Amino acid sequence: MKIDLTDTTAGAINKALVQGRRAIGTPAVGMVLTLVLVTDEENAYDALKAANDASREHPSRTLVVIKRVSRSPRDRTTSRLDAEVRVGADAGTGETVVLRLYGEAADHADSVVLPLLLPDAPVVVWWPVNAPLDPAKDPLGALAQRRVTDSYAAEQPVRELSARAAAYTPGDTDLSWTRITPWRSMLAAALDQVTCEVKAVEVEGEEFNPSCELLAMWLADRLDVPVKRSLSSGPGLTAVRMDTTQGPITLDRADGSLATLSIEGQPARAVALKRRDTAELIAEELRRLDPDDTYASALRFGVERLNTVPQQTSEAPAEPVAEPEPVEEAAKAPAKKAAARTAKKAPARKATAK
């Protein structure tokens, strides 16, 4: 069921939600959270479809915030709110409200969203594209316990990771991190099968894919070994190679769906490691609403520290390095040496004369 509201208010939207629930025969509210989806008109359809699919696992009220660009200065000073209320089969297993904000209302989206939040329920804000550099300080992000971004959609994904690390606040997460959950699980399971020490790691994947950097930073942070980031033609992550004291461990996925796990002394085995769609990713993020400390630690490790060899500490003390002599002293050195030789020879000549 769909209800269109033009030039409306938050109060009228709440009334339409109650009217829609009664019309389909489900007056009770059985949703567990509010998902605020902030996007543009171009990406609204795909993002809303993913949110509706995820609502089958997490029944929620989905508020889609679309800020419409006004074409003239006169329109920019005129505030207007249009809404589309969806309940029943058109909204997955929850409720959906598509909010289109015009003029000055677009600058105060938090005031529009606040009256529509489910009472006593957690709030998650998701930016599929164009996420703010500091999600926690964004007016909409300040309403949420969990803030989801996607650095893969950024123009410069690797630089986006540095910005995320600088502005990290507990509750922030990124779908590029969610994409590598199966990889992290598989690599941890592989290391549990062998008693060994990891000496070096190589992560291979396509360029401009922040999931590759995040996996490399996680491995470097957890294993405290040098990690090399190499490029491939993709798709996505293609391989992880670990050099250990018991031989190499390799997880290779060339086609984006089926991977091969190779451990020294064991037969190679095929493992399912397909690339997941956005609905699966956002559903995974909605399963936990507490801060992800592992993500925070990997993010703060820093992209710039990849492809570097850590300094080896030796038990033997290092030899002191002589400080360079000043230029004037260096110039006088030959004269001083000649005077010293003359002084040594002088007593010998004196003794001979006697």
Side-chain angles (χ1 to χ4, degrees), residues 37-348:
L37 201 163
V38 187
T39 184
D40 53 20
E41 202 72 64
E42 179 183 359
N43 298 278
Y45 176 81
D46 292 335
L48 183 55
K49 185 178 183 302
N52 286 341
D53 292 342
S55 71
R56 304 183 189 283
E57 182 178 341
H58 310 278
S60 59
R61 174 177 289 180
T62 303
L63 304 177
V64 184
V65 179
I66 302 174
K67 300 179 181 180
R68 298 297 298 267
V69 178
S70 301
R71 297 183 179 180
S72 66
R74 181 181 301 173
D75 292 338
R76 295 190 190 102
T77 59
T78 304
S79 298
R80 196 180 91 209
L81 170 62
D82 293 344
E84 181 182 329
V85 178
R86 304 179 184 180
V87 293
D90 295 317
T93 58
E95 300 172 342
T96 299
V97 181
V98 181
L99 304 168
R100 290 182 171 85
L101 287 71
Y102 299 82
E104 294 181 351
D107 299 328
H108 304 281
D110 55 320
S111 300
V112 178
V113 168
L114 187 59
L116 302 175
L117 300 178
L118 288 173
D120 302 324
V123 180
V124 179
V125 179
W126 173 31
W127 291 270
V129 293
N130 302 326
L133 291 179
D134 192 345
K137 291 185 178 179
D138 183 83
L140 287 173
L143 301 174
Q145 288 78 33
R146 191 81 163 166
R147 295 163 294 275
V148 184
T149 58
D150 192 356
S151 55
Y152 186 79
E155 188 173 342
Q156 295 179 322
V158 177
R159 289 189 181 182
E160 193 82 2
L161 292 179
S162 300
R164 294 276 171 266
Y168 175 80
T169 303
D172 293 353
T173 190
D174 198 281
L175 292 187
S176 295
W177 171 256
T178 317
R179 290 184 180 97
I180 63 174
T181 300
W183 284 83
R184 293 189 294 120
S185 301
M186 195 62 62
L187 292 172
L191 289 176
D192 285 341
Q193 299 178 35
V194 184
T195 303
C196 63
E197 181 180 345
V198 181
K199 298 185 289 184
V201 180
E202 180 183 3
V203 176
E204 181 185 271
E206 65 182 359
E207 194 175 5
F208 307 119
N209 190 325
S211 295
C212 302
E213 270 73 21
L214 281 170
L215 182 60
M217 290 189 290
W218 173 71
L219 288 167
D221 180 50
R222 289 293 170 178
L223 299 176
D224 194 23
V225 296
V227 178
K228 178 184 177 182
R229 165 71 165 98
S230 58
L231 301 180
S232 70
S233 57
L237 269 163
T238 52
V240 174
R241 303 178 184 90
M242 294 187 288
D243 182 18
T244 74
T245 53
Q246 299 297 323
I249 297 176
T250 304
L251 183 59
D252 194 339
R253 186 190 67 178
D255 59 356
S257 60
L258 192 65
T260 302
L261 177 63
S262 302
I263 302 177
E264 186 73 17
Q266 300 182 16
R269 69 198 74 171
V271 293
L273 208 62
K274 73 180 183 68
R275 304 188 74 190
R276 299 181 293 168
D277 58 20
T278 307
E280 294 180 79
L281 300 176
I282 196 65
E284 179 183 327
E285 283 301 330
L286 295 179
R287 290 182 198 132
R288 57 175 299 171
L289 299 176
D290 56 318
D292 191 341
D293 296 332
T294 306
Y295 166 70
S297 180
L299 188 65
R300 287 171 174 160
F301 180 84
V303 181
E304 65 281 351
R305 293 176 62 184
L306 298 177
N307 300 320
T308 59
V309 179
Q311 295 181 355
Q312 300 293 333
T313 57
S314 176
E315 296 181 0
E319 296 183 1
V321 179
E323 297 183 358
E325 296 182 358
V327 177
E328 295 182 359
E329 295 297 327
K332 294 179 181 178
K336 289 182 179 180
K337 290 181 180 179
R341 288 196 298 268
T342 304
K344 287 181 180 179
K345 291 179 180 180

Side-chain angles (χ1 to χ4, degrees), residues 25-44:
T26 55
V29 178
M31 289 157 286
V32 298
L33 58 88
T34 302
L35 175 62
V36 181
L37 201 163
V38 187
T39 184
D40 53 20
E41 202 72 64
E42 179 183 359
N43 298 278

